[in-house]
Amino acid sequence: MATTSMMTMPTLKTTSSSLRRGSTRRGIFKACCSLEKPRVEGHTLSLVDQFDPRIAIEEAVTPPSSWYTDPSFYDLELHRVFYRGWQLVGCAQQIKDPRDFFTGRLGNVEYLVCRDENGKLHAFHNVCRHHASILAHGSGKKSCFVCPYHGWTYGLDGPLLKATRMTGIQNFNVNEFGLVPIHVATWGPFVLLNMEQEVEGDVDAVADEWLGSCSEVLSNNGVDTSLSYICRREYTIGCNWKVFSDNYLDGGYHVPYAHKGLANGLKLDSYSTAIFEKVSIQKCEGGSVEGKNDYDRLGSTALYAFVYPNFMINRYGPWMDTNLVLPLGPKKCKVVFDYFLEPSLKDDKAFIERSLQDSERVQMEDVILCEGVQRGLESPAYSVGRYAPNVENAMHHFHCLLHSGLTK
């Protein structure tokens, strides 16, 4: 594992494309990208209130099954959780050079992140201002963005460069039809977006909002920019996004029953959990590696950090993998895994392949668990459950944070 002296300490950089547009452009921005708040019916509010964060974990019941199945509750989560605050969307590796870009979707928001010719970072709604076509797809490198529908062309810094066949149009100001910007920031190897119109751009304020007081803890435990990016894997799972999060946050409760291979490499009685403002960190010592031909994927200590609402950082041995769970509906989610490795091992293909196979085995075991839980949540036999107080405190913390976000 990297030591503190070896690390490149993460710094957080922010960019707000909207701040340079001027008053006219800002007016267009507000008119075009306001994420309308849904009208919250009494039914949905009653679902939120069925969980009481004031009750201690020893006496508390879990959120009701409707939190995981109800379409109106899912819509409320998008607007009050995912369209607010800083949300992780990708890796700095994806936009490391000028003209690099990547795209994605969070709820109903289509976005693109790019670097312009000078390397400046930008983010925009990935929607053409002409007739709403998706502008770019996937990732790669571009000198400009050309709409595949009618050929409207935009610069990498957002302005409309060309609008085809517009002869005769009236009251059309090309300067008012650039791409709609989104606030963007980086911390260490991660890229974050904030969909809100008014965002505090101070670097310390962004870091404090996303990670709170634990940013130094993560840095000191090897979550940094010195690691080499290896690959990405994605899993579409038939469960609510919170089912996957809950599974991650049960303090290793399920590991000896569902992940016997993983359990052999961990000292599960050493499991511990630390709670921060919006982050929980679980730690566990690794088991003996004697007789394993020096193959040691897990190392001496494994760290599992959950960053509210949907991002997980796993640092173990020479590896770091991250899990981003994206809601696709009340009963469906996508989990994006990105793998990073200490540079000394980035060319060891046999070690990488074996490690990824072990990781894949664990993920598929979790897919089976999560989809089974989702089916159980839809059963009339289940309404609420209970917490195991000594191990599931990170899960309870997550539910309390979610309740707070949903009631603001």
Side-chain angles (χ1 to χ4, degrees):
M1 180 177 293
T3 63
T4 303
S5 61
M6 295 168 56
M7 292 178 190
T8 303
M9 296 294 283
T11 57
L12 196 147
K13 303 175 183 178
T14 62
T15 300
S16 179
S17 302
S18 63
L19 299 181
R20 66 178 188 280
R21 297 293 181 183
S23 58
T24 301
R25 182 68 187 91
R26 179 170 284 278
I28 291 293
F29 172 69
K30 286 187 176 180
C32 294
C33 81
S34 59
L35 294 167
E36 293 186 8
K37 298 177 181 178
R39 186 178 67 178
V40 182
E41 303 290 349
H43 163 72
T44 308
L45 291 177
S46 70
L47 299 181
V48 177
D49 291 338
Q50 288 178 26
F51 175 76
D52 189 345
R54 299 168 298 178
I55 299 176
I57 188 173
E58 293 82 2
E59 299 182 6
V61 297
T62 63
S65 57
S66 54
W67 277 34
Y68 301 80
T69 60
D70 189 278
S72 67
F73 192 89
Y74 168 75
D75 192 47
L76 184 65
E77 287 180 327
L78 290 182
H79 286 82
R80 293 193 176 181
V81 177
F82 291 100
Y83 297 163
R84 294 176 176 177
W86 291 99
Q87 305 290 334
L88 188 132
V89 295
C91 304
Q93 176 71 22
Q94 296 173 275
I95 35 88
K96 65 177 181 177
D97 298 319
R99 300 191 292 116
D100 284 349
F101 81 96
F102 70 86
T103 63
R105 180 183 176 98
L106 180 60
N108 294 324
V109 176
E110 300 279 354
Y111 61 82
L112 69 85
V113 180
C114 67
R115 289 197 185 275
D116 63 22
E117 302 282 357
N118 298 316
K120 186 175 181 180
L121 184 63
H122 302 272
F124 305 98
H125 288 264
N126 185 21
V127 179
C128 180
R129 296 293 302 280
H130 181 215
H131 286 322
S133 172
I134 298 301
L135 187 63
H137 298 271
S139 61
K141 190 178 291 286
K142 287 184 179 291
S143 59
C144 60
F145 294 107
V146 180
C147 180
Y149 197 5
H150 297 109
W152 280 35
T153 303
Y154 302 85
L156 297 178
D157 56 347
L160 176 62
L161 301 179
K162 182 173 69 173
T164 60
R165 303 181 71 173
M166 301 299 285
T167 303
I169 192 172
Q170 300 180 10
N171 301 318
F172 177 69
N173 184 346
V174 67
N175 294 322
E176 294 180 351
F177 278 81
L179 296 178
V180 177
I182 302 174
H183 301 280
V184 60
T186 61
W187 185 87
F190 308 129
V191 179
L192 303 94
L193 298 183
N194 191 317
M195 311 297 177
E196 295 178 278
Q197 295 176 17
E198 302 298 331
V199 174
E200 174 60 61
D202 178 77
V203 169
D204 292 333
V206 177
D208 182 67
E209 180 181 340
W210 192 52
L211 295 175
S213 61
C214 82
S215 58
E216 186 174 351
V217 176
L218 294 177
S219 299
N220 291 338
N221 281 276
V223 180
D224 57 64
T225 57
S226 69
L227 301 172
S228 297
Y229 183 80
I230 301 300
C231 67
R232 166 172 288 190
R233 291 183 175 178
E234 299 182 355
Y235 304 84
T236 300
I237 308 176
C239 70
N240 185 276
W241 69 276
K242 296 185 296 299
V243 171
F244 188 90
S245 299
D246 289 349
N247 179 69
Y248 184 88
L249 293 169
D250 75 353
Y253 197 167
H254 73 284
V255 172
Y257 309 102
H259 305 309
K260 298 187 185 301
L262 177 62
N264 289 334
L266 297 172
K267 296 179 180 178
L268 294 176
D269 58 356
S270 71
Y271 235 95
S272 65
T273 302
I275 302 296
F276 297 84
E277 296 92 337
K278 293 185 177 181
V279 178
S280 60
I281 296 180
Q282 303 171 83
K283 286 187 177 182
C284 185
E285 295 178 11
S288 172
V289 297
E290 294 180 4
K292 294 186 179 180
N293 299 319
D294 295 325
Y295 170 72
D296 186 11
R297 181 175 75 97
L298 299 177
S300 60
T301 303
L303 175 146
Y304 307 104
F306 179 84
V307 183
Y308 176 82
N310 65 331
F311 185 54
M312 300 140 215
I313 306 170
N314 311 301
R315 189 67 169 94
Y316 48 93
W319 284 99
M320 179 175 77
D321 72 67
T322 61
N323 320 145
L324 178 65
V325 54
L326 299 170
L328 298 180
K331 305 174 186 180
K332 187 178 181 181
C333 67
K334 179 171 73 174
V335 184
V336 180
F337 278 71
D338 285 308
Y339 291 89
F340 304 79
L341 186 62
E342 291 181 2
S344 62
L345 291 168
K346 68 179 182 179
D347 296 321
D348 189 338
K349 295 183 179 179
F351 176 76
I352 292 173
E353 182 177 358
R354 183 173 176 182
S355 296
L356 293 176
Q357 287 176 349
D358 287 349
S359 177
E360 175 78 7
R361 185 178 304 109
V362 174
Q363 309 327 318
M364 296 313 299
E365 290 167 349
D366 276 333
V367 168
I368 293 171
L369 291 177
C370 291
E371 292 186 340
V373 168
Q374 185 66 38
R375 290 195 297 272
L377 287 165
E378 296 168 22
S379 166
Y382 185 89
S383 175
V384 297
R386 297 296 301 270
Y387 298 99
N390 293 329
V391 291
E392 294 184 314
N393 47 333
M395 185 192 301
H396 181 255
H397 178 242
F398 166 54
H399 295 157
C400 291
L401 288 173
L402 188 58
H403 182 276
S404 175
L406 292 170
T407 52
K408 288 183 179 179

